Amino acid sequence: MLEKDFRQVSCSTCHQRKENLLGGLGCDEISHIEDHKSCNYYKKNQSLFIEGSYPRGVFCINEGRIKIYKRGNEGKEQIIQIAKGGDLVGFRAMFSEDVYKVSAETLEECNICFISREDFLSLMDSNPTLRKGIIKELSTELADRANFITNMAQKSVRERLAFSLLLLMDIYVGEPINLSREDMANFVGTATETLIRLLKDFKEEAYIETHARKITVLDRNKLMSIAGI
Amino acid sequence: MLEKDFRQVSCSTCHQRKENLLGGLGCDEISHIEDHKSCNYYKKNQSLFIEGSYPRGVFCINEGRIKIYKRGNEGKEQIIQIAKGGDLVGFRAMFSEDVYKVSAETLEECNICFISREDFLSLMDSNPTLRKGIIKELSTELADRANFITNMAQKSVRERLAFSLLLLMDIYVGEPINLSREDMANFVGTATETLIRLLKDFKEEAYIETHARKITVLDRNKLMSIAGI
DNA sequence: AGTAAAAAATGACAATCGTCATAGAAAACG
DNA sequence: CGTTTTCTATGACGATTGTCATTTTTTACT
């Protein structure tokens, strides 16, 4: 449970910022953001933005996890990415000068700051380090997605589930993976029933254990060999 | 068939350049590239770069088409993108300061210019228009790939084939689509045999016609409704 | 042009996976 | 604390799709 006074976060002391794309900012730049940003508390399952709307700025996650997803034709979500504390979200659409092509929604309680489009773009104009960081981030994500596409096309659901569990371990560091079965299925790219059946297999083979919806990985190496990495 | 004298292309008169990311360059910048770039003729099925190697610059396609692909664990290719005349290729890995995560190979005879990493990066430092163009391009491609992932996860092979044929129409403008069945299958993300069977269905339903390996779309609207767009 | 090699096409078959229906467990809520 | 609702789990079944084997067509090469 998040503290109430957590809701107003200071950029200058934010430990998340020091590790992320905004880590290289100067004091004056930070205080400028500090004065202009807004900081909000979000409940679980709240929407940050939806496909088709115009971006007005970027979201900087201080605490909590969110899903970035796209809806297919029948309305089914495909989760493209799960972002966590420290991640910047929603800047891609801003650069493409177009509407959002994906939606974002909190998976749990979150504290999230918001920096306006104008502030962020002017920061990028004046700060080459930030600029390079952003370009590098975009490029790295493109490579990740090429990999995601290849996995989708060539791996079985079982292999993709093993792969996804390993990815989720890096998102839920030190804690059990805590996603609804439907969200997990939409991340792996399968039907909820199929996902549940395969989780059961993994449980019986003792690669994972579950407590209610929470999943703990017991045999990381085995999952890696199933995932083919 | 490409003319021999096509092989040395001048940037200042290049009609491709005027339409692409390098369209906003100044005269001095162009002449600098002109002096430093190299220009090469490639045969069909020649490699531009492969996964795992370090990028030394960017490729600017003057004429011809190339495939960008990633190999899955069993060695099967997944085609991520097909680039054509005017496209810049291979700059993502350069920005991520890492090895290529994909490979590139010509699909036909090509004329391709090469600009070194140093030249290109310094051009980006000095030219804000180019920089913005690159960032926009990266962002747009990220959105495209989110869509690609969703299609892979949620559409049937038949739907993906219809979708792919529509994409290929934009790559083979005014000419029939000319890809090997294996490459098409690796683009759609299916087995070659399955692809051939579905092409046969489309042929029998008169949505396409084929002459040898070449495919002409007859009923664009029908394909759109199958693809779900 | 003629032959060799590669690519495309077809057939048969099995398995993965999605869908629908329903039961059971957990969570939410007054 | 019990009731409602949501989520998870399981069963049955069929369709889509991948694999292997083989034939036919096209392309490449001398």
Side-chain angles (χ1 to χ4, degrees):
Chain A
M1 201 65 72
L2 299 172
E3 304 295 328
K4 279 208 179 209
D5 52 16
F6 235 60
R7 294 183 194 180
Q8 193 56 42
V9 178
S10 152
C11 296
S12 46
T13 61
C14 176
H15 50 290
Q16 298 283 20
R17 186 187 60 77
K18 285 165 190 156
E19 307 295 318
N20 78 5
L21 284 167
L22 302 177
L25 297 189
C27 291
D28 47 340
E29 291 171 323
I30 292 173
S31 66
H32 184 265
I33 301 184
E34 191 104 46
D35 295 342
H36 289 253
K37 72 156 185 176
S38 62
C39 189
N40 282 293
Y41 165 82
Y42 288 79
K43 283 182 294 193
K44 189 176 172 176
N45 298 327
Q46 264 193 289
S47 168
L48 297 190
F49 54 82
I50 57 170
E51 225 173 312
S53 63
Y54 277 93
R56 277 179 288 200
V58 293
F59 297 85
C60 185
I61 308 180
N62 175 66
E63 182 94 28
R65 296 176 185 89
I66 70 166
K67 62 177 171 183
I68 314 284
Y69 64 93
K70 188 164 181 77
R71 273 190 205 285
N73 286 331
E74 272 92 66
K76 185 176 160 76
E77 295 178 6
Q78 175 60 41
I79 297 184
I80 305 294
Q81 196 191 349
I82 295 181
K84 59 178 199 294
D87 289 343
L88 279 177
V89 167
F91 54 86
R92 295 153 203 84
M94 230 171 59
F95 297 141
S96 73
E97 291 169 349
D98 199 355
V99 296
Y100 287 113
K101 302 291 184 180
V102 293
S103 308
E105 195 177 306
T106 58
L107 289 167
E108 52 196 70
E109 289 186 301
C110 289
N111 276 305
I112 302 174
C113 299
F114 180 81
I115 304 169
S116 79
R117 188 187 143 87
E118 294 70 37
D119 287 336
F120 195 79
L121 290 180
S122 80
L123 212 54
M124 279 203 39
D125 271 338
S126 61
N127 189 319
T129 310
L130 173 61
R131 212 154 63 207
K132 285 187 179 118
I134 293 277
I135 293 179
K136 187 171 174 177
E137 175 71 19
L138 291 170
S139 303
T140 305
E141 278 187 36
L142 269 171
D144 288 346
R145 291 194 187 176
N147 198 37
F148 202 157
I149 291 167
T150 308
N151 282 347
M152 279 295 181
Q154 299 189 3
K155 286 193 201 293
S156 67
V157 179
R158 181 179 161 92
E159 291 166 329
R160 296 207 301 271
L161 173 57
F163 192 87
S164 299
L165 286 170
L166 293 167
L167 287 180
L168 289 169
M169 281 180 79
D170 291 333
I171 293 163
Y172 291 86
V173 257
E175 331 170 17
I177 296 164
N178 187 11
L179 267 185
S180 76
R181 297 296 171 256
E182 189 178 357
D183 279 338
M184 276 204 84
N186 291 341
F187 188 45
V188 174
T190 188
T192 307
E193 296 92 325
T194 303
L195 178 108
I196 289 172
R197 276 179 249 267
L198 289 170
L199 278 180
K200 189 188 174 192
D201 291 349
F202 281 6
K203 213 157 44 177
E204 284 171 0
E205 295 165 59
Y207 309 148
I208 61 171
E209 68 179 15
T210 64
H211 295 97
R213 59 136 73 168
K214 295 183 182 179
I215 298 171
T216 310
V217 173
L218 299 175
D219 193 341
R220 197 171 193 279
N221 290 333
K222 187 65 196 183
L223 288 185
M224 285 174 70
S225 91
I226 294 171
I229 50 178
Chain B
M1 200 63 74
L2 298 173
E3 304 294 327
K4 278 210 181 216
D5 52 16
F6 236 61
R7 295 183 194 182
Q8 192 56 41
V9 178
S10 152
C11 296
S12 46
T13 62
C14 176
H15 50 289
Q16 299 283 20
R17 186 187 59 77
K18 285 165 191 157
E19 305 295 317
N20 78 5
L21 285 168
L22 302 178
L25 297 189
C27 291
D28 47 342
E29 290 171 322
I30 292 173
S31 66
H32 183 263
I33 301 183
E34 190 104 47
D35 295 341
H36 289 253
K37 72 155 185 175
S38 62
C39 189
N40 283 292
Y41 165 82
Y42 288 78
K43 284 183 294 192
K44 191 177 171 175
N45 298 327
Q46 265 192 290
S47 168
L48 297 190
F49 54 82
I50 57 169
E51 224 173 313
S53 64
Y54 278 92
R56 277 178 288 201
V58 293
F59 297 85
C60 185
I61 308 180
N62 175 67
E63 181 94 28
R65 296 174 186 90
I66 69 165
K67 62 177 172 184
I68 314 285
Y69 64 93
K70 188 165 180 77
R71 272 189 205 286
N73 286 330
E74 271 92 67
K76 184 176 162 74
E77 294 177 7
Q78 176 59 42
I79 296 184
I80 305 294
Q81 195 190 350
I82 295 180
K84 60 179 198 295
D87 289 343
L88 278 177
V89 166
F91 55 86
R92 294 154 203 84
M94 228 171 60
F95 297 140
S96 74
E97 291 169 347
D98 199 356
V99 296
Y100 287 114
K101 302 291 185 180
V102 292
S103 308
E105 196 177 306
T106 58
L107 289 167
E108 51 196 72
E109 289 186 302
C110 289
N111 276 305
I112 303 174
C113 299
F114 181 81
I115 303 169
S116 79
R117 186 186 145 87
E118 293 71 35
D119 286 336
F120 195 78
L121 290 180
S122 80
L123 211 55
M124 280 205 34
D125 272 337
S126 61
N127 190 318
T129 310
L130 172 61
R131 212 156 62 207
K132 287 190 177 113
I134 293 278
I135 294 179
K136 187 171 173 176
E137 173 72 19
L138 291 170
S139 304
T140 304
E141 277 186 37
L142 268 171
D144 287 346
R145 290 193 188 176
N147 198 36
F148 201 156
I149 291 167
T150 308
N151 282 347
M152 279 293 180
Q154 299 188 4
K155 286 192 200 295
S156 68
V157 179
R158 182 180 161 91
E159 291 166 330
R160 296 206 303 270
L161 173 57
F163 192 87
S164 299
L165 286 170
L166 292 167
L167 287 181
L168 288 169
M169 281 180 78
D170 292 332
I171 292 162
Y172 292 86
V173 257
E175 330 170 19
I177 296 164
N178 187 10
L179 267 185
S180 77
R181 296 297 172 256
E182 189 179 357
D183 279 337
M184 277 204 83
N186 292 341
F187 188 44
V188 174
T190 189
T192 308
E193 296 93 325
T194 303
L195 178 109
I196 288 171
R197 276 179 249 266
L198 288 169
L199 278 180
K200 190 187 174 193
D201 290 349
F202 280 5
K203 211 157 46 177
E204 284 170 1
E205 295 163 57
Y207 309 147
I208 61 171
E209 67 179 16
T210 64
H211 294 99
R213 57 136 72 169
K214 295 183 182 177
I215 299 170
T216 310
V217 173
L218 299 175
D219 193 341
R220 197 170 193 279
N221 291 333
K222 188 66 195 181
L223 289 185
M224 285 174 70
S225 91
I226 294 172
I229 50 178

